[in-house]
Structure formats: C-alpha cells, structure tokens
Amino acid sequence: MIQTILTYPSVEGYSLGHVSSKFDKQACRKALSIFVVLDGQPFSAVEGEGFKYYSKVMLPQFTLPSRRTVARDCFQLHLDEKQKLKAFFKSDCNRVALTTDCWTSIQNQNYLTLTAHFVDNKWNYQKRIISFTVIPNHKGDTVGRKIEEVLRDWGIRNVSTITVDNATSNDVAVAYLHRKISTMNGMMGDGKCFHMRCAAHILNLVVNEGLKDKHLSITSVRDAVRFVKSSPHRATKFKECIEFAGITCKKLVCLDVSTRWNATYLMLEAAEKFQAAFDKLEYEESSYREFFGKGSPPSSDDWDIVRAFISFLKLFYEATNVFSTSQSVSLHSAFHQVSAIYCELKQATMNLNGVFASVGGDMMEKYNRYWGCATKMNKLIYFGIILDPRYKLSYIEWTFKDMYGVGSVFATGLIKSIKESLQKLYDWYKQAYDQNHNRQPLGSSENNVSNDETTAGRPSLMARADAFEQHLEEQDSIDQQNELEGFYSKFEEISSTARRGSLPSQPQPSGCA
C-alpha cells in the first residue's frame, strides 16, 4: 500500500510549498523489524503506550502491528537475509574461516554457536553468526556432527580453519570435521593448518598458571580496595583522602573477579594510582587497619611489587585484547604477541632473584605446552607475518635469533619447516588458480590493512619493531662494509702486483698460477 502525502516544510515560519513523499506500509514494517533486531528490543515494545504515541506523532498513517506480527516479520527478515548470505557463499565467497564455542547456561541447557569469517567483494573483513543452537551435550562427535549439519544447510564446502578452545572434546570434533571436509574436497592445502587453537584461551591458561598462587602483595591491595568499596561512608572517607593527597586521576578503584586474571590486572592498575590516598586512609580511618585482621595494609614494598606485577602483566593484557578483537583481522599481528610473550617469560625466569622467577617458570612451562613446539603451533601464525610486506621472512629469522639464540638448531629447523610449508601452500593455491583461471576475480579496492594493529598503543612491541628496524639498518651496513672490504682487497692486490712490475699483460686462464 503506497500513498502520496503532501507536506509543507518551512524555514523560520516561511512556507516552501508542496513537497511530495510516499508512505510505504511494507517498508515501515521492515524498518520496525530492523529496529527490534538491531536494538535487541522485545517484541512487546510495539505495544507500549510511549512507543505508540511516538509512532503516531511521527507517522499517523502507519498502524502499529501487534507483537505477534512483529515476531513473524522478524523471522521473515531472518529468512530473507539468510537467502542473501547463502547466495553469497555459493557464488562470490571462495572460502570461510570458522570459530565455535560451547557453553552451559544456568538452566543446564547446552548451547553451540558457529561464526563464519570471510572477505567480501570489496576486500573487507566480515563475520556472521550462522548458528546459535541447543545441543544435547558437549561431546566431540555431537559438536562435529552439528557443525557439519550447519555447513550443509548453508552450502559451505570450502573451510580454511576452525578455531576452538583447548577442550579435549574439541580435538575429536575437529578430527571429525577434517575427515568430512576432506571428502568434499573443501580443505585448504593438505589440511595441516585446519585446526587453530584459540590464542586468547591459551594465553589465559598461561597467565592463570603463574597466578594460581596469588602473591601476598596482591591480596593486601585487594583487601584495601574491598574496604573502600564495602560502604558509602568508607568510600566518602577515601574520596577525602584522594583530595587531600592531591590526586587528580579520574579512575575509580574496582574489585577483581577471582577467576579472571585480566580483572586482577585492571584492579591493580587502578589502585596503584591511589597509593598516597590509601596511605593517608591508614591514619584517618581507625577501622581500616582493623579490617585486615592479622594482616596489614599494603606497605611501600607491597606497592613496589604491585607495580612490578602491573608492568609484567601489561603485555599479556594487551595481547589478550589483540587476540580477542572481533572487528578486524588479527592473524598478522599474532606472532608479534607470541614472540614478545616468550621473551618476557624468558627474561623473568633468567632473573633468579626477581619476584617473577617462579611465576615466570610456571608460565613458561604452560607456554611451551601449546606454543613451544613447532609441531603444535599452527603455521598460519607465521604465514601471517611473512605475508605482511612490512616484515616478511626476515622478521621471523631475526625474532627466532632473539628468542632461541644465534645459531640455534631448533630455530634453523623451524625456519626450514615454515618455508617448506609455505611453499606447499603456495603451490596448492597456484594449482587451484590455474585450474580456475577463467573465474572472475573478486574485485579490488584500496589496501585495508591497518598499520597500527601491531604496534600502536603497545610500547613493548613498538620497541621490538624499532629494534628490528635497527637490525635491518645494521645488516645493510654490514653488507655494504663487506662489499667495500672486498673491493679494497681486490684493489690492493692489483696495486701491489703493479708496483712489483709483474702485472700480467694478458688475462690468465682461470686456475692458473
């Protein structure tokens, strides 16, 4: 139903004449469905008195549908968008990467979500949740069969990788999918890079291994924050201490969650800025010291240890943010984080007198379990940095020297293995391209790779980037020096022969005395 409506817009009270616009009932209902979906509104929102009044003022000709009608419209919108995405997967999308996760709700319902990541025709990164469903259990076969069912429903055959956490059941699910996708000839290369372990989950295991025995200084600061947050009176007293100490920081102290190490980092990072206020509180509030019982409020040594923990955990916190990003591709920045973390742990374990000697040792052991062996690391993490034109293979070689030492047999073998694997993947892509050379290209656009995803806002990684740039300059200098020394050596040989008067008049054959 389309009606033409005449309106009379005006500016400062002066009429501008008749303007024709069209009222489209179906377009209004679709827009209403999009509003409900995008803003996460309940279907009953359209039956609220306030929303009815707003809609009547905005467009009196539009009669609001009931919540049941809105529910049907939203479901139809889902079906329409699904058909569009199916068509895209079939005609224009060459390959997708999958991520999946399972969890159990408080109602003991088992859920599975599956997300497809791909590049559109304009070379923009896209992701879509293609399944959110209830499953009977979290067994590997159950998860694998459900994912296979979803892929068949969407018509997806070509899968590059699937990213899962480190649950044992996921190994079974990935092995099942590997067999099924291989039979459909949808595997990328030989399929050795198919299983991608969630880097954020591994990093969480690594840090929790080191912090499983919480340091007493952290416990002391946590109790101090808990005291301030325990009542309005204490919070007001703490605010007075902040003003007296002249602290201008606008952050607020926060309690951490015992099961989340990054929350502990944020608690320490915020509390450290208010050390002077906590010290003042010890003398201004008598109940503050009593709150600790047999313990004591944080001392200056405790705050020094906390600052050391903040500096130590900052790299892991920033790496978690990089690994957990959902708005951009992070593969080309993963190796920066992995290598920097290794060097940080290596340095911590070497300092036997440091606070983090035992902490770093426990974390290094867990790190090596997932990332310390070349066969356990998905080589796409290396490929991402090699294919980055800012770094290429030379950065991998330089970083391995920094990680494992110059002349390391392990590093040499790892580099050889990486090059061989990359060559195999290249040959596979070349063969696939040659077989499908008549296929139209996906299109082109400006380069969307952000140059600030690997180093921006992360001083430690910026320092490594600067060190690598200096290494390249030194290498160029050494190469030029060697070439120059070779030239001088040859020049001195010729000059010496000429001075002795024995410079041959005819060129001598190669190998002659």
Side-chain angles (χ1 to χ4, degrees):
M1 175 182 177
I2 299 178
Q3 300 177 3
T4 300
I5 304 171
L6 295 180
T7 58
Y8 300 87
S10 61
V11 178
E12 296 181 355
Y14 295 94
S15 176
L16 300 180
H18 301 285
V19 177
S20 177
S21 63
K22 293 182 178 180
F23 166 67
D24 190 336
K25 181 179 178 180
Q26 295 301 322
C28 289
R29 285 181 55 174
K30 183 177 181 181
L32 183 60
S33 301
I34 294 175
F35 156 72
V36 171
V37 172
L38 290 184
D39 290 354
Q41 296 292 332
F43 299 135
S44 59
V46 297
E47 297 180 350
E49 293 300 324
F51 188 82
K52 287 181 180 179
Y53 176 76
Y54 171 78
S55 179
K56 185 176 181 180
V57 171
M58 289 295 295
L59 194 59
Q61 292 76 19
F62 179 54
T63 302
L64 282 174
S66 66
R67 59 181 177 181
R68 293 180 176 84
T69 302
V70 172
R72 290 195 296 269
D73 289 346
C74 289
F75 185 68
Q76 186 60 47
L77 178 65
H78 160 74
L79 295 178
D80 295 341
E81 292 298 320
K82 184 175 181 178
Q83 288 302 319
K84 292 179 183 178
L85 191 55
K86 272 188 175 182
F88 176 82
F89 286 147
K90 183 177 180 180
S91 61
D92 297 318
C93 184
N94 183 50
R95 191 168 295 276
V96 301
L98 302 175
T99 56
T100 185
D101 194 15
C102 300
W103 68 94
T104 303
S105 68
I106 58 176
Q107 294 84 13
N108 289 326
Q109 291 284 341
N110 301 308
Y111 290 93
L112 177 144
T113 182
L114 185 66
T115 307
H117 307 258
F118 55 93
V119 176
D120 64 16
N121 292 332
K122 296 182 180 180
W123 290 98
N124 293 320
Y125 164 74
Q126 301 284 350
K127 67 182 181 72
R128 297 289 187 274
I129 297 176
I130 59 176
S131 179
F132 186 92
T133 184
V134 178
I135 57 175
N137 53 65
H138 293 169
K139 294 181 180 180
D141 287 337
T142 303
V143 174
R145 293 180 188 277
K146 173 56 69 173
I147 294 176
E148 180 193 11
E149 177 186 331
V150 173
L151 295 180
R152 290 186 183 277
D153 177 45
W154 282 90
I156 297 175
R157 180 174 60 89
N158 297 328
V159 179
S160 57
T161 62
I162 180 168
T163 302
V164 295
D165 61 28
N166 297 292
T168 306
S169 59
N170 283 331
D171 294 339
V172 178
V174 171
Y176 175 86
L177 291 170
H178 191 287
R179 293 193 303 270
K180 293 297 182 179
I181 295 176
S182 296
T183 57
M184 295 187 296
N185 197 27
M187 196 65 66
M188 182 180 70
D190 55 9
K192 290 184 177 180
C193 297
F194 179 69
H195 186 184
M196 178 73 74
R197 298 184 183 275
C198 178
H201 187 259
I202 293 175
L203 189 59
N204 185 62
L205 295 176
V206 169
V207 179
N208 280 332
E209 186 68 19
L211 298 183
K212 59 184 179 181
D213 297 325
K214 296 293 191 302
H215 199 278
L216 293 178
S217 297
I218 296 179
T219 303
S220 180
V221 171
R222 180 184 294 108
D223 290 340
V225 174
R226 183 178 288 113
F227 173 84
V228 171
K229 304 286 288 185
S230 61
S231 72
H233 169 73
R234 292 170 176 176
T236 302
K237 196 66 177 179
F238 182 66
K239 185 177 181 180
E240 294 175 359
C241 294
I242 293 175
E243 295 175 353
F244 182 84
I247 300 174
T248 58
C249 179
K250 299 300 181 181
K251 281 191 174 184
L252 299 176
V253 293
C254 57
L255 276 174
D256 64 337
V257 181
S258 59
T259 57
R260 296 177 57 190
W261 70 267
N262 53 336
T264 301
Y265 166 80
L266 293 175
M267 177 195 71
L268 298 177
E269 195 265 342
E272 181 270 335
K273 295 177 173 57
F274 298 96
Q275 176 185 350
F278 281 111
D279 292 342
K280 181 66 177 175
L281 187 65
E282 185 175 354
Y283 298 99
E284 295 293 330
E285 183 65 35
S286 58
S287 60
Y288 178 59
R289 180 175 290 275
E290 298 173 358
F291 183 80
F292 289 86
K294 295 181 180 180
S296 61
S299 63
S300 58
D301 292 337
D302 290 327
W303 287 112
D304 289 339
I305 293 175
V306 163
R307 274 186 282 271
F309 263 101
I310 293 172
S311 178
F312 181 71
L313 294 177
K314 184 178 182 180
L315 178 63
F316 300 92
Y317 176 76
E318 292 169 345
T320 299
N321 291 337
V322 172
F323 292 148
S324 303
T325 181
S326 61
Q327 303 299 321
S328 60
V329 179
S330 60
L331 180 64
H332 65 287
S333 61
F335 181 71
H336 292 285
Q337 311 295 333
V338 172
S339 59
I341 288 170
Y342 179 90
C343 293
E344 182 83 3
L345 294 177
K346 182 180 178 181
Q347 183 178 359
T349 55
M350 290 176 63
N351 186 8
L352 299 180
N353 296 325
V355 178
F356 306 105
S358 60
V359 173
D362 294 337
M363 294 170 68
M364 179 64 85
E365 183 177 351
K366 182 68 74 171
Y367 176 100
N368 289 332
R369 179 177 177 181
Y370 295 103
W371 287 334
C373 179
T375 59
K376 295 181 179 180
M377 177 84 81
N378 191 311
K379 288 187 173 58
L380 285 178
I381 292 180
Y382 302 123
F383 298 168
I385 198 69
I386 292 174
L387 297 177
D388 190 330
R390 297 167 292 179
Y391 298 99
K392 302 183 181 179
L393 182 62
S394 58
Y395 183 83
I396 295 283
E397 295 172 338
W398 173 79
T399 304
F400 280 169
K401 292 178 182 178
D402 188 29
M403 293 173 65
Y404 307 117
V406 178
S408 170
V409 177
F410 173 76
T412 303
L414 183 54
I415 292 173
K416 181 181 179 182
S417 175
I418 292 170
K419 292 172 68 175
E420 291 175 351
S421 299
L422 184 57
Q423 183 64 47
K424 288 180 181 179
L425 186 61
Y426 169 80
D427 293 339
W428 179 83
Y429 264 108
K430 185 177 184 300
Q431 182 180 4
Y433 175 81
D434 291 341
Q435 293 175 352
N436 301 279
H437 64 280
N438 292 326
R439 181 175 180 179
Q440 293 294 327
L442 292 178
S444 61
S445 65
E446 295 181 358
N447 187 357
N448 292 316
V449 177
S450 173
N451 60 4
D452 60 352
E453 292 177 2
T454 56
T455 58
R458 296 188 290 277
S460 57
L461 294 183
M462 291 181 67
R464 289 182 61 80
D466 293 340
F468 175 61
E469 184 176 352
Q470 182 180 358
H471 162 74
L472 293 179
E473 293 176 356
E474 293 174 352
Q475 190 64 42
D476 291 341
S477 175
I478 292 174
D479 293 341
Q480 295 173 5
Q481 183 180 1
N482 292 339
E483 183 179 358
L484 187 60
E485 288 177 353
F487 169 77
Y488 277 137
S489 177
K490 189 65 176 177
F491 179 78
E492 287 296 333
E493 177 184 351
I494 296 174
S495 300
S496 177
T497 306
R499 284 194 297 270
R500 293 196 303 267
S502 58
L503 185 65
S505 58
Q506 297 292 335
Q508 297 294 318
S510 177
C512 293

